[in-house]
Amino acid sequence: MISYTQQDVDRLRDLGRKVREIADLPIQQERIALWRNVNDLHMTKPVLYHRDTPPAVLNFEDELTTQIEDPFLRSVEADLLMRLYNWKHMPLDYVVVDYVKCECAISDNGWGEMVQYDSDLSKDRQGQSTIHFQSVINTMDDVAKIPDPIIEHDEDETRERWRVMNEIFDGILKVRLFGRCYFNIAPWDDILEWMGMGDAMMRFYEDPDLMHACAKRYIDCCIARFRKYEEMGLLSSNNEYENIMNNHPGYTSELPPPTESGIGCRLKDMWGGCSDQIMTSVSPATSREFAFAYEKEYAKLFGRFGYGCCERLDHKISDLIEAFPNLRMVSVSPFSKLEPALEALGSRYTASFKPNSNYLFQPNFEEAKELLTKEMETVLQLCQKYHNNLVINMKTIITLRGEPQRLWWWCQMAREMVDKYYT
């Protein structure tokens, strides 16, 4: 049951009013159009985005500090606080929407107990913890340990959440039911973790049959999992301000809009995604054989598909295009060679470029500013050269040295640079 006080209600209603005031501004529709254009391959100008930085790293003068004790309502509070924080400090292309999500009470067994590691953690000379993973997949018989999906929905709890949220936000923000909308899988990131990272990569050479069996089992379980969500009516569209893969919002005119209730979407009306960061250093041939050959079956579930996160992909783009007919978006990480990647993608795909977030951590931030500005200038010049549909997505920030203003500076610099090149 949800537990809350009148003080909690007043807190959420106050935050909701502030969000609604911003959500009603015309600029929100302008930003939606920017995202739709870039995803539809008709970019008017590159769009700017940031995600994945822990609130504790961003927090400034308690602007992201939650006050509500109930876990469910605290998550709603945290969402509203982040919207206001982004609007105040980060002049990017965020869309402040006029609704709050009522998350359905879903349980998913995930991958069960596949990750095994030693309970005694060692520390290096800098005091950082290290973990020794234990292999749970060593033979063909072990492949069956990858569990079948078990999805359950507590409808009574969902109804209670719906009742409470509608009472709290009545006349302020819309309330929308929300199931699952995120479909980024990372087969080999997971499988190699289950095998123990030390010797696992050698098994592509020493025991390819085992690796093929693992890939097939993993993909079969993913397909079964998401089809079960669809059968249960628990899918929510990601053709709106929801992240596709680890990249950016999925607004597009090429997929149906969200359902009226918020749930009951079909897989074929959604974006799916895949990444394999651990495969960044293997050859294109190895990726074709052990990754793309299986992942393409998963990709067929979706109307649009994206690939990549932090791995290098510039030398594999032609293989991606061949493997995934519904490919629309490709991640261009700091580990990719930038110009070959943007040249290969051209105007036929959306490129999600990840600036080098390590620069934000540099001790001498004045020097870092020069590097970040040069990086931005380079990607914008190449975007114009190759007529790319470009998203610039600053992410994977672990620390800002206690100075969230560093990220604020990058956001302002990026805004000015895009406006300079695309007036």
Side-chain angles (χ1 to χ4, degrees), residues 50-67:
H50 155 263
R51 61 162 298 184
D52 285 351
T53 303
V57 174
L58 295 176
N59 204 0
F60 178 75
E61 296 183 346
D62 287 331
E63 289 177 307
L64 294 174
T65 301
T66 56
Q67 301 176 9

Side-chain angles (χ1 to χ4, degrees), residues 76-355:
V76 178
E77 177 193 17
D79 170 53
L80 297 174
L81 288 171
M82 185 60 75
R83 297 192 213 182
L84 295 172
Y85 181 98
N86 289 341
W87 178 259
K88 179 179 179 181
H89 295 299
M90 301 193 204
L92 305 180
D93 294 309
Y94 292 114
V95 178
V96 180
V97 296
D98 62 355
Y99 59 86
V100 285
K101 295 187 289 189
C102 178
E103 302 275 358
C104 295
I106 302 169
S107 63
D108 185 326
N109 66 324
W111 298 118
E113 302 297 325
M114 291 302 295
V115 177
Q116 300 288 328
Y117 54 86
D118 292 342
S119 57
D120 294 329
L121 304 183
S122 61
K123 292 184 179 292
D124 63 19
R125 285 179 292 181
Q126 285 74 42
Q128 299 297 315
S129 297
T130 57
I131 297 175
H132 176 253
F133 288 94
Q134 299 175 353
S135 178
V136 296
I137 299 181
N138 297 290
T139 68
M140 281 291 189
D141 290 340
D142 292 334
V143 175
K145 293 179 181 178
I146 301 176
D148 291 316
I150 301 175
I151 317 297
E152 296 178 343
H153 180 206
D154 186 337
E155 296 185 16
D156 290 338
E157 175 63 19
T158 295
R159 279 192 288 269
E160 173 66 5
R161 293 178 180 183
W162 177 257
R163 180 190 66 79
V164 169
M165 289 192 68
N166 275 280
E167 288 181 0
I168 291 174
F169 292 105
D170 182 39
I172 300 174
L173 291 170
K174 303 170 188 175
V175 179
R176 182 184 294 180
L177 282 173
F178 211 78
R180 180 157 187 165
C181 76
Y182 184 70
F183 301 99
N184 184 50
I185 64 170
W188 287 108
D189 289 13
D190 289 333
I191 295 169
L192 293 181
E193 187 177 40
W194 305 336
M195 288 184 161
M197 299 302 294
D199 302 322
M201 294 295 287
M202 285 298 296
R203 295 187 180 184
F204 287 111
Y205 173 75
E206 295 176 342
D207 197 351
D209 290 343
L210 175 63
M211 305 306 265
H212 281 295
C214 286
K216 185 178 187 308
R217 172 65 180 169
Y218 184 102
I219 293 297
D220 287 347
C221 287
C222 287
I223 292 173
R225 166 169 278 105
F226 298 135
R227 281 181 172 160
K228 190 169 183 64
Y229 273 96
E230 183 177 46
E231 292 166 3
M232 296 173 69
L234 293 174
L235 296 181
S236 292
S237 174
N238 50 21
N239 177 15
E240 54 181 337
Y241 197 64
E242 297 298 328
N243 286 302
I244 51 175
M245 304 169 43
N246 291 309
N247 292 281
H248 61 261
Y251 288 110
T252 176
S253 63
E254 299 176 359
L255 296 173
T259 63
E260 187 69 25
S261 68
I263 57 176
C265 187
R266 301 177 301 178
L267 288 168
K268 68 179 182 178
D269 296 335
M270 305 180 73
W271 291 85
C274 190
S275 60
D276 276 307
Q277 298 174 100
I278 200 69
M279 304 288 273
T280 191
S281 296
V282 306
S283 68
T286 301
S287 286
R288 287 196 301 271
E289 180 180 354
F290 293 96
F292 304 160
Y294 297 95
E295 293 160 353
K296 68 181 182 181
E297 297 305 313
Y298 169 75
K300 292 176 182 178
L301 294 175
F302 305 98
R304 291 289 177 267
F305 199 71
Y307 202 97
C309 186
C310 292
E311 66 268 46
R312 180 191 172 195
L313 289 171
D314 60 278
H315 58 320
K316 300 179 182 179
I317 290 175
S318 61
D319 298 297
L320 291 172
I321 293 171
E322 181 178 352
F324 305 106
N326 56 348
L327 183 71
R328 173 54 57 88
M329 191 274 294
V330 176
S331 176
V332 181
S333 80
F335 302 104
S336 290
K337 293 181 179 179
L338 182 57
E339 183 161 9
L342 294 183
E343 182 179 13
L345 293 171
S347 62
R348 298 177 299 160
Y349 301 92
T350 300
S352 183
F353 169 66
K354 313 299 196 312

Side-chain angles (χ1 to χ4, degrees), residues 41 43 46 314 317 332 337-351 377-390 421-422:
L41 308 182
M43 187 191 79
D314 60 278
I317 290 175
V332 181
K337 293 181 179 179
L338 182 57
E339 183 161 9
L342 294 183
E343 182 179 13
L345 293 171
S347 62
R348 298 177 299 160
Y349 301 92
T350 300
E377 185 174 45
T378 298
V379 73
L380 290 172
Q381 289 174 347
L382 291 173
C383 178
Q384 291 188 334
K385 180 178 180 180
Y386 295 113
H387 307 288
N388 298 116
N389 298 281
L390 182 67
Y421 277 83
Y422 291 83

